[in-house]
Amino acid sequence: MNRIKKGDDVIVIAGKDKGRQGTVLRVVDEDHIVVENVNIAKKHQKADPNRGQGGGIIDREMPINISNVMMFNPVTKKGDRVGIRRLEDGRKVRIFKSTNEAVDV
């Protein structure tokens, strides 16, 4: 079970975007994720008339290492570590380490 999934709110703890908060748009692989409005790079894009795309310089979110982000805990309003706990019925749930509350309700 992954500790960070698509749709989670995260806060960046290291790098040029330290302190910024965003939503996970996609998980690239087990070590990289793409976060909304974080790690923006300029991409020079050629026009493609078959797809109806114009050319120019566009801003694009690039992957960031998963170790540079923490889950945002809405209770404490801070970044928090995430652990995995098995319930009595055998299901696995993600929990915040500081409050021992389930992430997914």
Side-chain angles (χ1 to χ4, degrees), residues 63-103:
I64 187 170
N65 199 303
I66 206 164
S67 66
N68 293 334
V69 297
M70 290 181 91
M71 284 278 294
F72 181 74
N73 190 344
V75 175
T76 61
K77 304 281 193 255
K78 294 181 184 177
D80 204 350
R81 294 186 301 156
V82 176
I84 297 171
R85 178 172 292 154
R86 188 177 293 271
L87 298 178
E88 298 84 27
D89 59 357
R91 291 186 300 136
K92 289 182 180 179
V93 293
R94 297 182 299 161
I95 61 161
F96 288 117
K97 289 274 193 168
S98 65
T99 58
N100 286 328
E101 293 181 6
V103 175

Side-chain angles (χ1 to χ4, degrees), residues 26-92:
R26 65 187 168 99
V27 177
V28 178
D29 57 24
E30 64 182 32
D31 290 333
H32 295 89
I33 57 173
V34 176
V35 181
E36 179 182 28
N37 294 326
V38 172
N39 200 19
I40 302 291
K42 301 274 188 194
K43 176 163 173 48
H44 295 258
Q45 184 169 343
K46 192 172 181 179
D48 189 359
N50 294 331
R51 284 200 239 159
Q53 287 181 340
I57 301 172
I58 61 168
D59 290 333
R60 183 172 172 193
E61 289 106 355
M62 299 302 288
I64 187 170
N65 199 303
I66 206 164
S67 66
N68 293 334
V69 297
M70 290 181 91
M71 284 278 294
F72 181 74
N73 190 344
V75 175
T76 61
K77 304 281 193 255
K78 294 181 184 177
D80 204 350
R81 294 186 301 156
V82 176
I84 297 171
R85 178 172 292 154
R86 188 177 293 271
L87 298 178
E88 298 84 27
D89 59 357
R91 291 186 300 136
K92 289 182 180 179

